[in-house]
Amino acid sequence: MAAEKKSLGKEFTKGIIKQNPVMRLVLGTCATLAVTTSLVNGFGMGISVTIVLVCSNIVISLLRKAIPNKIRIPAYIVVIASFVTLVQMVVKAYVPALDKSLGIFLPLIVVNCIILGRAEAFAGKNGVLVSALDGLGMGIGFTAACCAMGIIREFLGGGTFMTGLQSLLSVFGDGVLGGFDGIDFYKVFPFLEKLSLQPMTIMLLPSGGFFTFGVLMAVTNRLAERKGGKKAELNGCGSCPMAAICGADKAECESMKNAAAPAEKKEAAAE
Amino acid sequence: MKKLTVTSSPHVKSGATVTGIMLDVIIALLPALIAAVRYFGPRALLLAAVCIGTCVLSEYVAEKIMKKPVTLGDLSAVVTGLLLAYNLPPTIPLWMAAVGSAAAIIIVKQMFGGLGQNFVNPAITGRIILLVSFSQAMTTFTKPLDWTADAVTTATPLAALSALDRGGDIAAQLSDGRLPGLMDMFLGNIGGSMGEVCAAALLIGGVYLIARKVISPIIPCVYIGTVAALMLIAGKGNFTFMLYEVLGGGLLLGAIFMATDYVTSPVSRTGKVIFAVGCGVITTVIRLFSNLPEGVSYSIMIMNILVPLIEKITMPHPFGFVKEKKEKKEKEAA
């Protein structure tokens, strides 16, 4: 019982840092780079993906014995697409500003690799509760990554923090949180303009997204390694989080691993 | 008893070191620095100092954090800083110059593994990051010889050139006073980035580098030649138009000092020619057909990215190497 509880917790937390879908598995990067120009956008995207992820994981896990193996991908896509349509309708109805700023990337959640990846690698093989927790953890990991990128890019690229918050909260009525609509640092600190400081436009462009992405990826790798995780390097399929859904020739991967560590092998052979 | 030292090749070494080469580049850049101080005042010197200082500091900090050996002694960070300063308008706020320098060293150079590993020229990329981020400050140029803080802004010759109506009478438009004289263009008495204005100083530096065999003349000559030839065609054979295009903007600075960067240019002679022609064509296309007046930095960066492919197709064959296809044909003939 205790062991099962522990593994449930593990399945939940692994998506947050150790197997963070964006920073460690490098999935769903297109949407991440495109929409994280502000914290609110990143958060909105993250929440939408999390909802779809949890719901589709649950349904796919329930149907895992009913879906024939050969047509599992189309079946998964149908399930995912239904939930994406639902989420899109809800967002359009209640948070139209978010729908406007996410644009095409909201319906494109259907083809987000994180969701299909979790369906294929996890929900299709595991029980309902574990799959839901896995989806939730992965969703939180994705949301955290989007928020982190959004904060950095919004601050450096626009000199603001949480702008557009009211449009996200408009579903709860007007003037929630005392009408707090983000901080414009150039208005709060007028001396910034006197110092001729100005935001770096490049951070709002795709290139700035890549810079931020690269730096955050390095930080996440560092964090994951510090927590006793394996180093993100060529180490065969054993350490690869994608091994379960990897289409590549496994033998080829393993031979690369052997090539990477020939010195150790030779030493072992000599002994 | 003396031990026999066994080492692998190379056994004959030239005296060239990274530090020596970088020192030569710095010496070659000095005439342009003198010209910059002459035209833009002590602020040019301050700007260069800020860029160099930030580059050196970023290199030190980045290498310390990544626990790599500190390589400040090879002077490559100094060269990057100086080149970046040459690419900036003299009036740019100093903090922007510092941001660009830090980005050039940390993002472009150290994150890819340091000197020799960067796939694009750090100084060029630093300039592009600044140009995209702070386009207004990066395209505001003041009149030369006016050292005051509120100096009059002026259009660069290239901006004036790109406003020309190339369908009309080019010669008449060139002489109607909207452009400075050709002698001013050569000596640097024009608006522009700090180190790019004085063609004479850049040419002196280029000749020094070629004479010291630090750079091969192929890239600068072919690059400038390509731009000159294409501009001659675009200007309907007007020689003056071509001269303005060659002397204006960052073409000389880019062709002599940036495109010849060892790390980001091809090794073989054919590769160098392909690289330089590509730079020339892209520069011309950007200058003539885009809404940017200048395209040297973008062209060099694009060609930098293509260098691995150029190296692949221009790989020299070892002596006695026979292509497989030829072998088959010979067999069939036999």
Side-chain angles (χ1 to χ4, degrees):
Chain A
M1 188 67 202
E4 201 185 25
K5 251 189 188 171
K6 198 183 165 194
S7 76
L8 278 183
K10 236 183 183 174
E11 296 302 347
F12 173 64
T13 52
K14 69 169 189 273
I16 296 171
I17 285 185
K18 245 182 161 177
Q19 291 189 24
N20 186 300
V22 185
M23 299 299 169
R24 292 281 282 180
L25 309 189
V26 204
L27 293 175
T29 42
C30 171
T32 313
L33 291 170
V35 303
T36 55
T37 48
S38 77
L39 174 56
V40 169
N41 283 355
F43 185 72
M45 186 71 183
I47 292 298
S48 316
V49 167
T50 307
I51 294 169
V52 175
L53 195 49
V54 173
C55 297
S56 68
N57 259 16
I58 290 175
V59 171
I60 288 167
S61 171
L62 282 171
L63 293 176
R64 69 182 188 278
K65 280 167 192 157
I67 297 174
N69 200 32
K70 276 186 182 163
I71 53 150
R72 64 186 191 286
I73 303 279
Y76 295 164
I77 289 287
V78 169
V79 173
I80 295 166
S82 339
F83 283 114
V84 170
T85 314
L86 275 177
V87 166
Q88 195 195 352
M89 284 171 170
V90 170
V91 170
K92 264 204 164 100
Y94 292 101
V95 205
L98 184 67
D99 176 68
K100 215 175 174 187
S101 54
L102 291 185
I104 184 68
F105 291 99
L106 197 54
L108 275 183
I109 295 177
V110 176
V111 287
N112 193 317
C113 294
I114 300 172
I115 297 166
L116 191 61
R118 287 337 285 174
E120 171 79 4
F122 202 91
K125 296 170 189 159
N126 289 289
V128 180
L129 182 59
V130 192
S131 299
L133 282 176
D134 172 81
L136 190 62
M138 287 285 162
I140 291 173
F142 178 74
T143 312
C146 283
C147 288
M149 285 191 61
I151 290 174
I152 296 172
R153 289 178 70 185
E154 189 185 346
F155 179 70
L156 293 176
T160 56
F161 177 68
M162 285 174 87
T163 46
L165 183 66
Q166 283 302 317
S167 66
L168 194 64
L169 295 176
S170 59
V171 59
F172 301 116
D174 285 336
V176 193
L177 295 180
F180 177 73
D181 195 22
I183 306 166
D184 184 347
F185 289 96
Y186 288 89
K187 274 182 193 149
V188 180
F189 306 110
F191 65 88
L192 289 179
E193 236 156 301
K194 276 187 195 145
L195 290 171
S196 76
L197 282 183
Q198 37 176 289
M200 285 180 83
T201 324
I202 197 169
M203 295 309 287
L204 297 181
L205 302 176
S207 37
F210 274 108
F211 291 157
T212 322
F213 189 41
V215 173
L216 281 180
M217 213 181 220
V219 172
T220 322
N221 277 345
R222 196 66 199 273
L223 281 177
E225 279 157 29
R226 190 170 282 178
K227 282 197 165 177
K230 277 180 189 158
K231 235 180 175 175
E233 62 182 23
L234 211 59
N235 198 14
C237 300
S239 67
C240 179
M242 300 291 293
I245 51 170
C246 178
D249 186 5
K250 296 252 158 68
E252 200 176 293
C253 277
E254 291 294 326
S255 71
M256 276 160 85
K257 169 194 172 185
N258 294 340
E264 287 167 27
K265 284 229 154 171
K266 268 179 203 163
E267 271 170 28
E271 277 167 17
Chain B
M1 209 176 97
K2 261 190 180 177
K3 274 187 184 170
L4 184 68
T5 329
V6 183
T7 57
S8 69
S9 60
H11 300 290
V12 183
K13 293 167 188 163
S14 82
T17 59
V18 178
T19 314
I21 288 168
M22 292 297 169
L23 201 61
D24 268 336
V25 176
I26 294 172
I27 292 170
L29 282 168
L30 283 182
L33 186 63
I34 295 167
V37 176
R38 163 88 181 83
Y39 289 114
F40 302 112
R43 195 183 153 83
L45 217 51
L46 180 65
L47 190 61
V50 167
C51 283
I52 294 173
T54 319
C55 277
V56 170
L57 189 71
S58 323
E59 178 130 313
Y60 180 79
V61 171
E63 284 176 341
K64 275 281 162 194
I65 289 177
M66 292 195 262
K67 293 182 183 130
K68 284 200 269 182
V70 174
T71 56
L72 292 184
D74 66 16
L75 295 181
S76 62
V78 177
V79 171
T80 300
L82 200 54
L83 277 176
L84 179 61
Y86 282 16
N87 276 288
L88 303 176
T91 48
I92 189 170
L94 294 176
W95 72 269
M96 287 184 191
V99 167
S101 311
I105 291 291
I106 296 173
I107 294 180
V108 185
K109 193 172 156 197
Q110 289 302 336
M111 282 196 178
F112 286 92
L115 184 66
Q117 309 281 329
N118 50 300
F119 71 107
V120 285
N121 184 307
I124 285 270
T125 318
R127 176 196 143 86
I128 290 174
I129 290 174
L130 288 178
L131 187 64
V132 177
S133 293
F134 313 112
S135 49
Q136 203 204 343
M138 280 296 285
T139 49
T140 308
F141 298 101
T142 50
K143 271 200 164 135
L145 296 171
D146 183 359
W147 297 6
T148 49
D150 48 351
V152 188
T153 59
T154 178
T156 60
L158 277 189
L161 278 176
S162 66
L164 284 188
D165 172 23
R166 279 193 308 279
D169 185 356
I170 292 177
Q173 292 181 73
L174 287 175
S175 54
D176 67 0
R178 69 172 96 182
L179 281 158
L182 271 178
M183 203 56 198
D184 280 341
M185 296 281 295
F186 185 66
L187 291 176
N189 191 13
I190 49 172
S193 291
M194 181 183 128
E196 73 181 19
V197 288
C198 185
L202 292 170
L203 287 174
I204 293 171
V207 169
Y208 173 81
L209 284 182
I210 292 169
R212 294 273 297 165
K213 294 200 170 149
V214 172
I215 61 170
S216 106
I218 299 176
I219 291 179
C221 292
V222 175
Y223 187 174
I224 297 168
T226 309
V227 174
L230 292 174
M231 285 301 178
L232 211 52
I233 300 169
K236 294 182 198 157
N238 189 315
F239 203 69
T240 328
F241 175 76
M242 183 273 277
L243 275 181
Y244 272 114
E245 286 283 1
V246 169
L247 293 174
L251 179 60
L252 291 176
L253 179 65
I256 296 170
F257 292 99
M258 317 277 239
T260 52
D261 178 4
Y262 287 171
V263 182
T264 53
S265 64
V267 177
S268 69
R269 196 171 293 175
T270 332
K272 283 191 166 95
V273 172
I274 298 173
F275 175 82
V277 169
C279 285
V281 170
I282 298 172
T283 303
T284 314
V285 167
I286 294 179
R287 279 188 183 181
L288 292 178
F289 301 110
S290 82
N291 52 9
L292 293 167
E294 173 63 309
V296 169
S297 45
Y298 285 107
S299 72
I300 295 178
M301 193 174 80
I302 292 170
M303 289 314 286
N304 279 168
I305 296 169
L306 291 180
V307 163
L309 299 177
I310 297 174
E311 301 269 50
K312 209 172 172 184
I313 58 167
T314 57
M315 182 111 60
H317 297 302
F319 180 69
F321 178 84
V322 187
K323 272 190 181 171
E324 265 185 27
K325 270 188 184 171
K326 265 189 186 172
E327 221 170 25
K328 271 184 192 168
K329 271 181 193 169
E330 274 164 18
K331 268 184 190 171
E332 278 168 10

